[in-house]
Amino acid sequence: MDQPTAFALREVGQNDAPSAPGLNDAIRSSLDLLRTRFLSGDVIAGMRDLSEALGKVRRQLGQAAWRDMAAETILTHEIADVIFQCPLTSRSKEKPRGYAGDAELLDHIYGLGSAQRAPHPATISGQIYFYTVNSPACKAVRRRREILADEIDKAAARTAPREANMLSIACGHLREADLSAAVRGGSIGRFVALDQDKDSLAEVERSYGPLGVVTQEGTVRSIIAGKSAFADMDFVYAAGLLDYLVEPVAMRLIERMFGFLRPGGRLLVANFTPAVPDLGYMETFMDWRLILRNADELGALFDRLPFEQVASLETFEDDPGAIAYATVFKTQR
């Protein structure tokens, strides 16, 4: 028998206010059904229905109404206590390092570090965790790690052995280094990992210091102000940083990153897009709210670069369209 859908979506319209008694009652009733399904063991399918329904409601309501509904109706329901048994979800919500997508959370997504202490898959918390780490957004993050490692190796191949200089901004735990043959093989000249989080930098130094990676504490503000400055870089990238930056700040950061490149160097940035299917779950239960941009919007952030120094600009999205990428080569002269 088919399970009931999560929300009575036909009752949700553009003009519905989150405080409307009929709408709230319909959602609470649906959440009651979902919680019963979870407690009876139907967790994976229940998570799928919950995530899909949250995404649909998010798209149908305006942002202000959606935020209110998430806070006043969904998060106050008893189902939240069940969902927050998932360590990935609860860490994102609690933000122990001040923001949702911190390096420890990414290690969960990669199956590293704290993920080794994940709840048993036979438990409700374990099944919610399993569903969440295999959600479209988390799969896109793992694919992003692979893309970064490949770009590092390509940059190393464009230069003489042990002469490539690279910079990762907001590096986190720099886990793409594990997948990079150039880093693991010691064929990079200088690799600087910059982050504002001292704990993340300590982990990078422990894991990749022996491979020649050096750490530096710094922020977007220090880069824009010129206090964190670099030169003669062959590859400069920021993987998850633009998700949190408004347009003027993002554009200025890209200008500074471009200035760090030597002639022929390459810059890469990435950004989550509005097409991520599980945004409703991320914004509600994980309190992981991002500034979303598609490939065209991401490419527009490069408009202030000096045209005569741009050899090429390419934008693309991953296969599901969850993360957009933009790369630019600096001219040789």
Side-chain angles (χ1 to χ4, degrees):
M1 178 181 297
D2 291 339
Q3 295 286 355
T5 56
F7 295 158
L9 294 176
R10 64 182 180 276
E11 298 189 34
V12 181
Q14 291 287 352
N15 297 322
D16 285 318
S19 59
L23 178 59
N24 279 347
D25 288 347
I27 290 177
R28 291 192 184 98
S29 177
S30 297
L31 292 174
D32 287 341
L33 292 173
L34 274 171
R35 183 174 181 275
T36 299
R37 288 173 60 183
F38 282 11
L39 297 179
S40 66
D42 186 22
V43 179
I44 299 298
M47 283 293 295
R48 180 197 64 224
D49 288 348
L50 175 62
S51 181
E52 290 178 357
L54 288 172
K56 290 178 182 178
V57 175
R58 178 187 180 277
R59 290 189 294 272
Q60 291 180 5
L61 290 178
Q63 280 299 306
W66 164 245
R67 283 176 178 265
D68 289 345
M69 178 184 291
E72 298 172 9
T73 303
I74 301 172
L75 289 176
T76 58
H77 190 276
E78 290 179 336
I79 198 170
D81 294 332
V82 180
I83 298 296
F84 289 138
Q85 294 180 45
C86 167
L88 179 67
T89 303
S90 60
R91 181 181 183 89
S92 180
K93 177 70 173 177
E94 293 164 4
K95 299 179 179 59
R97 294 196 186 178
Y99 57 100
D102 65 29
E104 288 283 349
L105 183 137
L106 294 183
D107 274 358
H108 274 288
I109 294 173
Y110 298 144
L112 303 171
S114 298
Q116 306 302 317
R117 302 187 297 275
H120 194 281
T123 63
I124 292 177
S125 58
Q127 291 180 63
I128 296 173
Y129 181 86
F130 174 83
Y131 180 90
T132 305
V133 298
N134 288 289
S135 65
C138 290
K139 288 181 179 179
V141 169
R142 289 193 289 273
R143 177 59 184 145
R144 184 179 67 188
R145 181 190 181 206
E146 295 171 352
I147 289 172
L148 295 176
D150 185 56
E151 290 292 338
I152 291 170
D153 289 345
K154 288 179 180 178
R158 289 192 295 267
T159 63
R162 296 180 175 82
E163 290 190 5
N165 296 327
M166 309 201 187
L167 169 64
S168 173
I169 298 175
C171 64
H173 287 169
L174 200 74
R175 296 307 189 192
E176 58 269 19
D178 285 326
L179 305 182
S180 166
V183 176
R184 305 302 301 184
S187 60
I188 293 175
R190 182 179 181 226
F191 199 129
V192 181
L194 182 142
D195 204 288
Q196 65 179 4
D197 189 329
K198 294 181 180 180
D199 291 335
S200 290
L201 293 178
E203 174 61 22
V204 171
E205 189 165 344
R206 184 190 68 80
S207 296
Y208 310 112
L211 299 176
V213 176
V214 296
T215 61
Q216 182 169 324
E217 187 175 350
T219 65
V220 172
R221 180 175 295 180
S222 69
I223 292 173
I224 291 177
K227 296 179 180 178
S228 298
F230 305 88
D232 296 324
M233 290 290 168
D234 295 284
F235 182 46
V236 178
Y237 67 96
L241 184 56
L242 267 65
D243 294 319
Y244 303 93
L245 302 182
V246 296
E247 182 176 307
V249 177
M251 295 183 80
R252 184 58 182 143
L253 175 66
I254 287 172
E255 288 182 282
R256 296 290 294 162
M257 293 171 67
F258 188 76
F260 296 159
L261 296 174
R262 68 171 53 167
R266 189 173 192 182
L267 180 158
L268 178 145
V269 293
N271 209 134
F272 268 101
T273 77
V276 181
D278 40 326
L279 283 173
Y281 183 87
M282 290 172 63
E283 292 180 351
T284 303
F285 291 105
M286 303 180 80
D287 195 27
W288 196 350
R289 298 178 182 274
L290 305 174
I291 298 174
L292 306 166
R293 298 180 176 97
N294 60 31
D296 290 340
E297 292 167 334
L298 184 59
L301 298 179
F302 289 73
D303 287 350
R304 292 183 184 173
L305 296 186
F307 177 78
E308 69 280 3
Q309 295 183 34
V310 176
S312 65
L313 171 63
E314 176 189 6
T315 61
F316 62 94
E317 297 180 0
D318 59 15
D319 288 339
I323 296 180
Y325 298 82
T327 63
V328 62
F329 272 108
K330 198 170 190 177
T331 56
Q332 291 288 344
R333 295 184 180 181

